[in-house]
Amino acid sequence: SDLGMAVDGLITKIKRGEVSGSYNCAVETANLCRLIVASRWKRPQQLVNTLKRHGTALIAAKPSELVVENILRRILYFIREEQNSRELVIQEKEEIKLSASDLTKSMSLRLQRSTSSLRMNINQPAIYRMLEGGGGDMSDVIDTPTELSAMKNAILEEIQELVDELEDLYINVAEQAVEHIHVNEVILTIGRARTVESFLIEAARKRSFNVIVTESAPDFTGRVMAHALAEKGIDTTLITDSAVVAMMGRVNKVIIGTHAVMANGGLIAPIGSRIIAEAAKAHSIPVLVCCGLYKLSPRFPSDVELHQDMRSPAQVLPFEDVTMSMSQVDIENP
């Protein structure tokens, strides 16, 4: 089917790296979920099961890309909230139909439903448990084509709002820049993060400051970042990763991006971020992290290797430079 081809196509792109980066993966996942919701389904629980099935396959394609799981949870939460709100509307309509002579019966019915509603809320799965199916199946009180169509449209509107939120992310974060960066400060950052880049460029419109960028070997995204900042008129200095500790004494503030924010407050950030954080701590320098809410993950970093993105060792040592004497050497590029 077209839907199956779309899912398989996105899985292939993620595995091959054609869709990479938290933002791109989040937008593509939301668009795929919109396609699934727009497809034909007869029951809300059928839609939830379809999203879970395809979502599990997407997550397995690249477990380190936690935003895929986050977006899926958000959309599953939308569906359950829409279902619950419509159930309450139907219950209210039923109660209105009761005659005055059934007042006693109505009071009893309300009490029963209040108790049932309380139990439902207690047992309602939290958003972080949506993909695990901890809350059981939803009731299928909506079964008419009109009600299903209305529910589908409401969910699609929620997904569109989510996509709009992602698209406006950099603008919303950048608007807070002047509150955190002051005149003549020296800012240190690592590599290139689009959120941090927008943040610094927006601050440069009203503040004059200096930026130190680590080159972030072996992909050297820091060089791209330094060039982009310099083009906007920001006084930028590019340093090697090993010079971080030596330069930290001159820094007033550290601003970095992150791949994900874990449940314990830890970060999954570019290689070298921990060294920068440790050096900043030693010098009592504040560290700011710029990221969107879609990067907040309910998971704990229990398996560090699962969240590491291992890349080709050719970036560290080109294949043509490998000799027979290096046959016992393991080269890793996390």
Side-chain angles (χ1 to χ4, degrees), residues 94-137:
E94 290 177 353
E95 291 176 357
I96 292 174
K97 292 179 181 179
L98 294 174
S99 62
S101 60
D102 295 329
L103 182 59
T104 304
K105 184 179 179 181
S106 173
M107 295 293 293
S108 175
L109 181 62
R110 287 185 180 182
L111 179 61
Q112 292 176 4
R113 282 176 175 167
S114 297
T115 306
S116 176
S117 177
L118 178 60
R119 291 174 180 173
M120 180 185 68
N121 291 333
I122 293 175
N123 297 324
Q124 182 71 13
I127 189 170
Y128 66 88
R129 294 178 56 202
M130 286 297 181
L131 287 175
E132 284 75 12
D137 293 344

Side-chain angles (χ1 to χ4, degrees), residues 22 64 66-67 70 257-262 265-269 289 291 295-297:
S22 300
S64 61
L66 296 178
V67 295
N70 294 343
T258 185
H259 194 66
V261 180
M262 308 303 287
L267 305 178
I268 297 180
V289 180
C291 72
K295 290 187 178 182
L296 300 180
S297 173

